[in-house]
Amino acid sequence: MKARVLVTLKPGVLDPQGKAIHHALEGLGFDGVNDVRAGKLIELDLADDTDDAAIEDMCRKLLANTVIENFKIERLG
Amino acid sequence: MKARVLVTLKPGVLDPQGKAIHHALEGLGFDGVNDVRAGKLIELDLADDTDDAAIEDMCRKLLANTVIENFKIERLG
């Protein structure tokens, strides 16, 4: 079973990497970019009997820093 | 209009960050993790008239290194 975890900075947390990407896009001539936020993507290949609670546990214990980051789990079947 | 870009390493490209996460998960006692791949997530807040071609152009020119990375664009409406 495949799952992916999307880790994003919480709103209000400064994101210098996103800001740098934003400026670079403008420098390349891309108009209409209002905001950019950078995050992490973690793709997991898991045993089929892994339940959502286990994945959430992985996120809380290792994959995300819940003080400053949100995470979202998406099962890909 | 919001969109997100998922940047992942191509199959076959070594992923030491993913390997490190995998080992750390095993060290924490999580069983049944077969593989972990680490990637990047870039959230874009774009003008409503931005078309897919423009986003793909951003990926090819800046957001992804297409020699070693794949990218996937998801519009969030």
Side-chain angles (χ1 to χ4, degrees), chain B residues 24 54 71:
Chain B
F71 61 87

Side-chain angles (χ1 to χ4, degrees), chain A residues 4 6-8 21 24-25 28 30 32-47 50 54 57-58 61-63 72 74, chain B residues 4 6-8 21 24-25 28 30 32-47 50 54 57-58 61-63 72 74:
Chain A
R4 65 186 183 196
L6 306 174
V7 180
T8 52
I21 296 170
L25 286 173
L28 286 169
F30 290 105
V33 180
N34 301 320
D35 195 25
V36 181
R37 302 281 284 174
K40 280 176 283 184
L41 165 69
I42 298 151
E43 292 179 316
L44 301 166
D45 184 352
L46 298 163
T50 310
D57 209 24
M58 293 178 198
K61 286 190 178 156
L62 184 75
L63 304 179
K72 192 161 142 188
E74 294 182 354
Chain B
R4 65 186 182 197
L6 306 173
V7 180
T8 51
I21 295 169
L25 285 172
L28 286 170
F30 290 105
V33 181
N34 301 321
D35 195 26
V36 181
R37 301 282 284 174
K40 281 176 283 183
L41 165 69
I42 298 151
E43 293 179 317
L44 300 166
D45 183 351
L46 299 164
T50 311
D57 209 24
M58 292 178 199
K61 285 190 179 156
L62 184 75
L63 303 179
K72 193 161 142 187
E74 293 183 354

Side-chain angles (χ1 to χ4, degrees), chain B residues 51-71:
Chain B
D51 57 8
D52 281 344
I55 305 175
E56 195 175 321
D57 209 24
M58 292 178 199
C59 292
R60 293 194 184 281
K61 285 190 179 156
L62 184 75
L63 303 179
N65 175 355
T66 55
V67 177
I68 56 166
E69 291 171 333
N70 290 323
F71 61 87

Side-chain angles (χ1 to χ4, degrees), chain A:
Chain A
M1 191 261 297
K2 302 234 178 195
R4 65 186 183 196
V5 174
L6 306 174
V7 180
T8 52
L9 286 170
K10 289 187 177 177
V13 177
L14 285 178
D15 178 12
Q17 192 184 358
K19 283 264 175 300
I21 296 170
H22 191 174
H23 286 138
L25 286 173
E26 288 178 339
L28 286 169
F30 290 105
D31 297 323
V33 180
N34 301 320
D35 195 25
V36 181
R37 302 281 284 174
K40 280 176 283 184
L41 165 69
I42 298 151
E43 292 179 316
L44 301 166
D45 184 352
L46 298 163
D48 287 339
D49 60 352
T50 310
D51 58 8
D52 281 346
I55 305 175
E56 194 174 323
D57 209 24
M58 293 178 198
C59 292
R60 293 193 184 284
K61 286 190 178 156
L62 184 75
L63 304 179
N65 175 354
T66 56
V67 177
I68 57 167
E69 291 171 333
N70 290 323
F71 62 87
K72 192 161 142 188
I73 297 161
E74 294 182 354
R75 281 169 172 268
L76 305 177

